[in-house]
Amino acid sequence: MAYPHSEIEAKWQAHWKQHKTFRTPDNVDQSRPKFYVLDMFPYPSGDGLHVGHPEGYTATDILARYYRMKGVNVLHPMGWDSFGLPAEQYAIKTGKHPRIITASNIDTFRRQLQMLGFSYDWDREIATTDEAYVRWTQWIFLQLFKRGLAYESEMPVNWSPDLCAVLANEEVEEWRAKGFTVERRPMRQWVLKITQYAERLLADLDGLDWPENIKEMQRNWIGRSEGAEVDFALGTETVRVFTTRPDTLFGATYMVLAPEHPLVDKITTAEQRAAVQAYRVAAAGKSDLERTELAKEKTGVFTGAYAVNPVNNQPIPVWVADYVLWGYGTGAIMAVPAHDTRDFEFATKFNLPIVQVVEPPAGVDWRGYVDDGIAVNSGPYNGLPTAEFKKQITAWLAQQGKGAAKVNYKLRDWLFSRQRFWGEPFPLLHCANCGVVPVPEDQLPVRLPEMKDYRPTPDGQPPLARATDWVQTTCPTCGGPARRETNTMPQWAGSCWYYLRYLDPRNEQALVAPDKEKYWLPVDLYVGGAEHAVLHLLYARFWHKVLYDCGVVSTKEPFQRLVNQGMILGEMEYTGYRDAAGAWVSAEFADDNNTDRRTRAKLTAVRVPEAELQKKGEGFVLLAQPEIRVVARAHKMSKSRGNVINPDDIVKEYGADSLRLYEMFMGPLTQVKPWSMKGVEGVSRFLSRVYRLFVDEETGAPSPKLSAAEPTRAQLRALHAAIKKVSHDIEKMEYNTAISAMMIFVNEAQGWPELPRALLGPFVLILSPFAPHLAEEMWSRLGHAESLAYEPWPAWDEDILREDEIEVPVQVNGKLRGRIRVAADAPEADIIAAALACPEAASFLAGKEIKKKIYIPRRMVNLVVAG
RNA sequence: GCCCGGGUGGCGAAAUGGCAGACGCAAGGGACUUAAAAUCCCUUGGCCGAAAGGCCGUGCGGGUUCGAGUCCCGCCUCGGGCACCA
């Protein structure tokens, strides 16, 4: 029978709240060690919590509770990333203010998180939409502005007419996938100069304790490449190109400009003008994505102009092609078709000359060879290896004034404005006399105006442009009329610095007090989903570095250690296929669109119960028809698939402790893993067994097995083994094996005729980070008046764990043949002797010469025999 | 195409180069019960064998080692990320 989890959980949640058990005081004893453990705060969506949230949140909560018991000052806060598009869209539909919608969503999320017993310091709760918070987001923006890191730019942006909003390049894919259309349109935008920090953002990754793949993704995103800029004369003009392979200059047989390149107009000859113009118009209509995705075949147009190759003074034709991107490098390239895959493709298609300048290793075709080699057809440089050639030619170019070494980055400046209502207003004014003027810091925050209609204006102006009274204001510099900036900031803004505000959430004088910042930063552990691998984490690092330069923070990086929890999928599903007549079709004949790939006939996918299946080879087949394969897969949880698990339901039926424990028991934190309702029942049974160790279920009275007796040595050993394993595993965040160790202890304890209370106290303490409600209840039933939250973490005693006699496996030629029992401290000679005498091994040793005797202390004996 | 991760029983998973499959689920058997649920006990990688026991087994093929799930080389496959970045 399940224990009364609802009662117990409600009782302890109320207790923690009332006693502010998890309050981290504003002035902690700073001589003690600290642990700042942070969750990625959620966007409070209308759907409420899903089971992915408690996965990371439980993982951090276990550490927070553990370190508190180890006497460490723990900071474990929670808040809300509460600006966001869904609330705005809902507001447009219903006319309700996004603030009201957001507040109610936050209430739901808070209730759900509190129901799970997380030990957050709720006095530090913040929401990015709070005006007191917005004030400091705007303040940080002003620092960026004052440092010249924010600028206005007329940019072709990704405009979605459905959303009436501009999207960052990085967001386009996401919204397209949801069925929204996105097109290109030039618009005035605020842009942040993140590129100015590219080098530091790249270099400082090295010191971070982050998953290697995340660091690599950031490195790729920043995309540093070393090369040279080279000037090509073109009549009276000069075209500058960037290349990572200046050593291939002698093989540059033509040149390509991006369609947007301003020189195109000037250089195009009369005969080519019409073709070039048509090509540019076509290119302008396409988004970056369409250009890349649809451009399987290279396209381009000759401009009629010729440039001069600076190394050999040869004239080379200049083309326009959209495989050259305006946003990277100089928007122009020298094409070396022999040694660049793209140029090779292009040159082949348009019959342009291909000249070898790099000699590959013997046996490799030079056409399309892109790696390093030895220079050929390169005049005085023939015979040089690539690396050396690069150095020499770069020096020569610099000396001739025709080029210079150059480092380029893929990273672009950050398009920072949105044409939306529900975001932070920019603290900027436009004054006819003074230009762009920052709102004085003492006038922050700039609040959003009250409005009835949250849509953009019909002419594409942001919604704030409708608030004419709000827009009209006076210039603080000259006193003349000024207009407020009507763009708002993106959702990333608030999440860029929230980890700082938790340190000092109600400070009205400063973003954070310096002594608090110095004590608590950096975040010691940051846990969240890998979907934020690049954007959020890169933007936050960028702001942090700016604040470092401003003297607001004293660490170079915000998040010292990062862990990504793996996604939780829905339950395993077995899918079979039937044709129109209802006959089974084996899964290997079904394609992604549920069509029979042999006949093109439409198939119906049906779920097959596990009991009707058997394993065959790599996959599963129908029991009744073993020639019919089915697909076994767990899918991402989604409303459309109907496999979403609601945490509320789990808590209601099994309790919060079961949910917490199950999510930690499923497998390694970082791994993707499918949900299993049976698994929840399993850990729930374990918690019930724990309860029954203490309580007689029939009567509700303390279990009659509880005794004041001295624990036996075997009992102590069981307890201390669990303490040791749980302690180690918590520190490694290997919670599944920690839970397994506690299960082993309980399985053993169940069999004992009496249960010394002295064993149960420490056990409850090691259980408490995982199942805090049940642990608190049992702790109080053991007679303690106070919460266990600050009880010292139990220590284990190696002496108790030490066994007098151990079992050692005996192998012959590496195969296990028997076991011997020996005194733990027996000398090697005795153990070898015992192994040689081992009866099970005797037949494998008889009459054979023993060539080698290997003893691995306490682990293994291996006897190597001849033949 | 490039860069990361994974691949171990029917399932989720364990295993500092040293007893493969701990722990949990499922399944089978038993106890308790009028019965069921709940609970408790036992069995459970495959093959051969009445048993004792033996052989095989960590995606595939090689290698290093007394000994490889673990290390090295070459593949297959699934998942994620990036993708005309000159």
Side-chain angles (χ1 to χ4, degrees), chain A residues 247-306:
Chain A
D247 61 296
T248 61
L249 258 165
F250 286 87
T253 54
Y254 65 102
M255 184 176 234
V256 184
L257 304 184
E260 295 89 345
H261 201 291
L263 271 179
V264 173
D265 261 342
K266 290 190 191 167
I267 63 166
T268 303
T269 58
E271 310 85 75
Q272 295 300 109
R273 186 157 301 276
V276 168
Q277 205 44 42
Y279 187 78
R280 294 182 86 186
V281 169
K286 291 194 232 165
S287 73
D288 283 351
L289 260 143
E290 284 162 329
R291 277 198 196 182
T292 56
E293 275 181 358
L294 304 177
K296 287 176 184 118
E297 182 91 337
K298 297 253 180 305
T299 59
V301 182
F302 180 42
T303 62
Y306 289 83

Side-chain angles (χ1 to χ4, degrees), chain A residues 353-368:
Chain A
I354 299 172
V355 175
Q356 180 192 9
V357 289
V358 181
E359 182 66 24
V364 179
D365 190 359
W366 61 268
R367 271 164 280 259

